[in-house]
């Protein structure tokens, strides 16, 4: 899936060149989508059109650059793990948050129970299901879904975010693996909240309706150190943003995080709804929608597009 590119010979800060490269990335992404398929383990997700593809790149000044399906709403899925982590850091603090969840990548699938049962009592990190469920348990003691939704809207700079009821129902009816995780956490005595209340909050957060634009805005908020660049409002402390970006880099793309880090090198988080949110230095946010997924559960088109952007615009964090 990944390919290698020549180093660019043009000025990677020239707006016209940036626009041209984003269009190429969009074309590559749309083409690569043919190699993937929509998730079906949550029945409602199987209804997505696998041919859909859209990309939005947004900086703090000027209009966003958009191509394709950027307004269409879809469920945020695992990208909500970034919001849950940000809320935990903001409302509970670093020390309390990481007393109950680790910071290490697992190399296992996002919904794996293996290491949680055999290696560590605490979930490895907040970007896998076990870790995000653990954080949802902590949050469920201090806020309700309405308050977390308000935070999600501020974090994505998008007041249009709402609960997708159909996805929420589909998830709660079929989410037995997540049910297993919450009860495993309870059996180990590490779960911080009531198991059913915890799961309900986790499922609701996975079912938020976003679009590629809201994901680009999330990436932009992270690029702006937690401040909304349009209103000046501080949403999350800059010190916490560094923690969030680090975990996105090391754990944000499930068990593809290592290869993605080498080949793309942009702190990103994906979801099985087909979204990817990326954040580039202090420059801009990138949001992608492509519900055709690769075998690891990441948007096939999204990865192709982000790899193209990263190489041509030299966006790798270590470039
Ligand atoms: N709601 C999904 C689940 O819990 C989220 C997974 C994902 O996007 N990787 O299985």
């Amino acid at each position: 899936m990944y390919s290698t590119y020549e180093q660019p010979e043009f000025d990677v800060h020239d707006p016209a060149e940036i626009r041209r490269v984003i269009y190429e990335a969009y074309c590559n992404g749309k083409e690569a989508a043919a190699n993937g398929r929509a998730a079906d383990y949550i029945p409602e997700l199987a209804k997505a059109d696998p041919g859909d593809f859209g990309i939005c790149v947004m900086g703090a000044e000027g209009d966003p650059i958009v191509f394709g399906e950027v307004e269409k709403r879809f469920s945020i899925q695992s990208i909500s793990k970034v919001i849950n982590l940000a809320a935990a850091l903001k409302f509970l603090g670093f020390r309390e948050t990481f007393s109950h969840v680790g910071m290490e990548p697992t190399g296992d699938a996002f919904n794996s129970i293996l290491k949680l049962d055999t290696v560590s009592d605490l979930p490895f990190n907040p970007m896998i299901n076990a870790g995000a469920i653990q954080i949802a348990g902590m949050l469920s003691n201090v806020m309700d879904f309405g308050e977390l939704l308000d935070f999600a809207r501020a974090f994505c700079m998008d007041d249009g975010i709402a609960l997708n009821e159909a996805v929420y129902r589909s998830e709660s009816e079929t989410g037995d693996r997540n049910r297993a995780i919450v009860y495993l956490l309870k059996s180990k005595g590490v779960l911080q909240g009531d198991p059913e209340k915890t799961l309900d909050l986790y499922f609701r957060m996975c079912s938020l309706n976003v679009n590629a634009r809201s994901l680009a805005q999330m990436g932009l908020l992270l690029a702006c150190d937690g401040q909304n660049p349009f209103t000046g409002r501080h949403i999350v402390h800059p010190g916490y943003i560094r923690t969030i970006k680090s975990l996105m880099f090391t754990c944000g793309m499930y068990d593809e995080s290592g290869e993605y880090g080498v080949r793309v090198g942009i702190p990103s988080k994906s979801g099985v709804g087909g979204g990817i949110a990326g954040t580039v230095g202090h420059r801009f946010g990138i949001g992608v929608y492509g519900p055709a997924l690769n075998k690891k559960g990441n948007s096939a088109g999204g990865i192709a597009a982000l790899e193209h952007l990263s190489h041509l615009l030299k966006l790798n964090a270590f470039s």
Side-chain angles (χ1 to χ4, degrees):
M1 172 193 313
Y2 294 97
S3 36
T4 45
Y5 293 90
E6 299 289 317
Q7 283 301 301
E9 281 164 14
F10 56 86
D11 173 8
V12 294
H13 291 275
D14 175 347
E17 296 287 9
I18 291 179
R19 193 179 169 79
R20 180 180 60 76
V21 171
I22 296 171
Y23 180 67
E24 282 175 2
Y26 163 73
C27 296
N28 286 2
K30 186 134 179 98
E31 207 176 289
N35 306 325
R37 43 189 302 245
D40 56 9
Y41 78 99
I42 298 170
E44 196 61 27
L45 298 185
K47 295 183 182 165
D49 180 348
D52 276 351
F53 192 73
I55 184 163
C56 174
V57 179
M58 193 179 292
E61 64 285 312
D63 288 335
I65 300 173
V66 300
F67 293 104
E69 290 285 359
V70 292
E71 302 299 339
K72 195 171 203 170
R73 296 266 165 185
F74 57 94
S75 59
I76 188 168
Q77 296 299 335
S78 275
I79 306 167
S80 63
K81 293 173 166 82
V82 176
I83 303 173
N84 293 352
L85 172 61
L89 289 168
K90 182 182 171 92
F91 297 110
L92 301 166
F94 184 94
R95 190 186 289 250
E96 171 65 8
T97 301
F98 290 105
S99 308
H100 303 290
V101 65
M103 305 177 187
E104 294 299 337
T106 62
D108 296 331
F110 60 84
N111 56 4
S112 176
I113 294 180
L114 201 68
K115 289 204 173 82
L116 183 62
D117 195 24
T118 56
V119 181
S120 156
D121 284 342
L122 291 185
F124 265 57
N125 69 71
M127 299 292 156
I128 52 171
N129 287 18
I133 289 171
Q134 176 76 329
I135 287 192
M138 296 163 71
L139 292 174
S140 72
N141 296 326
V142 294
M143 62 206 304
D144 60 21
F145 171 65
E147 289 163 318
L148 197 49
L149 173 60
D150 282 344
F151 177 74
R153 288 174 173 157
F155 196 73
C156 298
M157 302 187 249
D158 178 5
D159 286 337
I161 294 179
L163 181 73
N164 182 324
E165 292 280 353
V167 171
Y168 165 63
R169 267 196 309 277
S170 191
E171 287 228 37
S172 16
E173 279 160 15
T174 59
D176 291 334
R177 217 178 157 80
N178 291 322
R179 211 156 267 125
I181 290 175
V182 88
Y183 281 99
L184 186 55
L185 290 168
K186 179 165 184 270
S187 77
K188 287 169 174 286
V190 299
L191 185 71
Q192 297 300 299
D194 167 78
E196 291 303 324
K197 216 168 125 192
T198 296
L199 260 190
D200 191 64
L201 190 59
Y202 172 79
F203 287 144
R204 282 177 190 270
M205 288 305 289
C206 289
S207 308
L208 298 183
N209 252 349
V210 291
N211 55 24
R213 192 183 286 270
S214 10
L215 297 182
Q217 286 163 187
M218 175 198 281
L220 179 59
L221 188 98
L222 291 164
C224 294
D225 276 337
Q227 183 180 21
N228 180 323
F230 308 113
T231 63
R233 195 175 151 212
H234 288 272
I235 310 299
V236 178
H237 190 278
Y240 294 146
I241 298 294
R242 195 174 51 221
T243 301
I244 296 168
K245 286 184 184 176
S246 303
L247 285 162
M248 288 169 76
F249 197 93
T250 52
C251 313
M253 303 296 285
Y254 320 136
D255 45 335
E256 196 172 1
S257 300
E259 183 167 4
Y260 182 88
V262 170
R263 295 189 187 270
V264 179
I266 296 174
S268 303
K269 182 76 201 84
S270 63
V272 291
I276 301 180
T279 179
V280 178
H282 288 101
R283 293 178 63 193
F284 46 76
I286 305 174
V288 171
Y289 173 53
L293 307 180
N294 67 16
K295 287 202 170 60
K296 304 256 169 150
N298 290 313
S299 170
I303 286 191
L306 279 154
E307 188 188 11
H308 186 84
L309 282 188
S310 175
H311 278 267
L312 274 288
L313 300 180
K314 295 191 177 170
L315 305 183
N316 186 303
F318 306 106
S319 287

